[in-house]
Amino acid sequence: MVLQNLSVINYRNIEQADLAFSDGVNCFLGPNGVGKTNLLDAIYYLSFCKSHLNPTDTLNIRHEAEFFVIQGEYLRNENVENIYCGLKRAQKKQFKRNKKEYSKLSEHIGLLPLVQISPADNRLITDGSDERRKFVDGVISQYNHSYLDTLIKYNRLLLQRNTLLKQLQERNSADYDLVEIIDSQLSFEGDKIAADRTGFFQRLLPVFSKYYAAISGEKEQVGLTYCSHTLEGDMIKQWSDTFAKDRILGYTTKGIHKDDLEFTLDAFPLKRVASQGQQKTFTVALKLAQYEFMLQQNGIKPILLMDDIFDKLDSKRVERIIQLVSIESFGQKFITDTNREHLDAILSEMQTSYAIFEVHNGNNINQVKSNA
């Protein structure tokens, strides 16, 4: 799959940009703060119907503008796909595929597979379990539409259960029969989600280990463990056992909404013992494993976004990453950097078609070099 053309109007700091891309490597070069990451975010938006940088849509409209528009022309399985997204202040977002608007945005997820590597990935290590679940759900949803539907059902049921618990907490009254019905439905949907997550981790782990070893030079041993209450036994019994506690707190303390990933380095918690370079290696290896896994699932090469990823990595690890993403199984790539000399060295290693764009600000984005 290849993004051939991108048109952006009033998205973040980009007033207007019309760009044609190489099917190999596309590099956005410029100092910090000029909009390189915003260009990648516009591409991300067309895949996921939302921004990676700010989930509040109206905050992505350029200051003093009333709307934004992002349009992309893709070549997917030899078919042209035209994707349009438009948003006006105080109005509903429009998302269209080949001029036909989606009835549900979830129908679009997975059409344009994409993997992004960015400095924000460090939150997978430093932040709470919510961030790691978002990563897992985002990957599985791109190749398994029923998973996303099940997750939406589970979250609605969870909201209903928590509402009933709050009623008990505040008014000491609630429909206990309804709680039992919701628990049964939650267990049914939750078991399906847990099974999908378990299968995902079992297949991802060996691929992830392979990439980490390749980048690090096999210097360290890493681990990735799925932690879930579903592995502790029947969830209906667990909810029964914790009902008194949940009633006091006003929310459900157990379930797949509390699932987590445990990251280790040489059998110790990664967050505690890893250097910045090791943490960066971990997240890059995780995202490259995600790329290979998604390719195996649907046979389509995802777009790879690499935003300022070489910071905090030594030259050897940078070289190994470039070698890994240069092989044929990796398709179109978008890279941002502040150093032209750095980019030229990267491109000479890749030996593929490329285009370089200099980004000065949201109104000044110029292609300065291409071998396509």
Side-chain angles (χ1 to χ4, degrees):
M1 186 183 71
V2 172
L3 174 58
Q4 297 178 311
N5 300 289
L6 178 70
S7 176
V8 182
I9 301 174
N10 293 333
Y11 187 73
R12 301 185 68 84
N13 80 323
I14 304 169
E15 183 174 358
Q16 184 167 359
D18 293 285
L19 305 171
F21 297 126
S22 164
D23 60 3
V25 183
N26 297 275
C27 304
F28 298 119
L29 178 69
N32 293 325
V34 296
K36 304 186 302 298
T37 298
N38 292 339
L39 285 166
L40 295 194
D41 197 53
I43 298 171
Y44 182 96
Y45 206 115
L46 289 179
S47 282
F48 294 100
C49 309
K50 63 182 180 181
S51 165
H52 182 71
L53 300 173
N54 194 326
T56 304
D57 281 324
T58 54
L59 295 181
N60 294 306
I61 299 175
R62 189 175 63 87
H63 296 318
E64 301 179 1
E66 291 301 315
F67 69 95
F68 76 67
V69 171
I70 310 172
Q71 296 183 83
E73 181 184 87
Y74 295 79
L75 187 62
R76 181 183 183 275
N77 286 339
E78 300 183 358
N79 295 316
V80 175
E81 298 279 0
N82 286 290
I83 307 299
Y84 167 93
C85 178
L87 176 69
K88 292 182 180 180
R89 294 189 188 276
Q91 293 189 23
K92 181 183 175 183
K93 175 168 55 183
Q94 282 191 315
F95 220 96
K96 299 179 181 179
R97 175 186 180 188
N98 298 325
K99 299 184 179 180
K100 182 178 179 181
E101 187 168 2
Y102 285 100
S103 57
K104 296 189 301 181
L105 293 181
S106 60
E107 296 172 355
H108 178 72
I109 305 302
L111 178 73
L112 308 173
L114 179 147
V115 175
Q116 172 158 302
I117 307 174
S118 79
D121 293 334
N122 197 55
R123 293 201 298 260
L124 289 169
I125 298 171
T126 60
D127 286 10
S129 59
D130 282 355
E131 199 68 34
R132 291 180 283 279
R133 283 194 302 277
K134 286 178 187 176
F135 164 70
V136 174
D137 294 338
V139 178
I140 300 177
S141 296
Q142 286 196 72
Y143 67 84
N144 184 343
H145 273 111
S146 64
Y147 178 86
L148 184 55
D149 290 339
T150 303
L151 191 62
I152 291 171
K153 291 177 185 176
Y154 180 92
N155 287 331
R156 286 174 181 166
L157 289 164
L158 180 66
L159 180 60
Q160 292 177 25
R161 189 179 198 270
N162 287 343
T163 299
L164 289 171
L165 289 170
K166 287 176 183 176
Q167 289 174 1
L168 272 169
Q169 183 188 57
E170 295 168 1
R171 300 196 297 268
N172 198 31
S173 65
D175 189 335
Y176 288 94
D177 290 337
L178 183 55
V179 173
E180 291 182 356
I181 292 171
I182 291 175
D183 284 358
S184 178
Q185 294 173 333
L186 267 179
S187 177
F188 178 73
E189 304 296 348
D191 285 348
K192 290 192 290 184
I193 293 168
D196 285 335
R197 288 176 177 174
T198 299
F200 166 66
F201 290 124
Q202 288 175 343
R203 287 172 284 173
L204 182 73
L205 181 56
V207 184
F208 163 68
S209 299
K210 176 187 73 174
Y211 278 110
Y212 190 94
I215 298 171
S216 67
E218 301 186 0
K219 292 181 179 179
E220 306 112 9
Q221 293 293 319
V222 287
L224 185 65
T225 304
Y226 174 41
C227 306
S228 176
H229 292 133
T230 60
L231 302 176
E232 299 172 9
D234 178 65
M235 284 308 308
I236 293 179
K237 183 178 186 306
Q238 291 188 60
W239 285 321
S240 176
D241 292 342
T242 60
F243 186 78
K245 176 182 177 182
D246 291 352
R247 176 179 173 176
I248 293 170
L249 295 173
Y251 62 87
T252 306
T253 55
K254 287 200 171 188
I256 58 96
H257 58 286
K258 296 293 185 179
D259 283 1
D260 201 357
L261 288 178
E262 182 181 83
F263 299 153
T264 58
L265 179 69
D266 293 331
F268 292 97
L270 181 77
K271 183 177 179 179
R272 296 181 185 175
V273 301
S275 67
Q276 288 183 321
Q278 288 170 325
Q279 290 187 12
K280 190 70 170 279
T281 301
F282 193 99
T283 56
V284 171
L286 192 60
K287 291 303 187 75
L288 294 183
Q290 173 191 346
Y291 187 103
E292 182 173 323
F293 179 85
M294 290 171 59
L295 176 59
Q296 292 172 354
Q297 292 302 305
N298 57 25
I300 298 175
K301 295 178 182 178
I303 289 173
L304 180 63
L305 307 182
M306 306 172 73
D307 184 23
D308 191 27
I309 72 161
F310 303 116
D311 182 42
K312 298 183 176 66
L313 292 175
D314 59 57
S315 59
K316 280 292 183 184
R317 297 195 182 209
V318 170
E319 181 181 348
R320 289 171 187 142
I321 292 171
I322 296 304
Q323 289 172 350
L324 287 171
V325 301
S326 297
I327 62 177
E328 188 178 347
S329 59
F330 283 87
Q332 190 180 32
K333 294 166 279 287
F334 293 84
I335 300 175
T336 68
D337 210 320
T338 58
N339 188 322
R340 175 61 183 271
E341 184 178 339
H342 193 188
L343 274 180
D344 285 338
I346 289 171
L347 292 171
S348 66
E349 286 289 332
M350 286 188 168
Q351 297 180 344
T352 186
S353 62
Y354 66 85
I356 298 177
F357 302 84
E358 286 187 350
V359 183
H360 300 283
N361 55 55
N363 302 317
N364 191 353
I365 304 167
N366 302 309
Q367 182 174 323
V368 295
K369 190 175 181 181
S370 171
N371 74 341

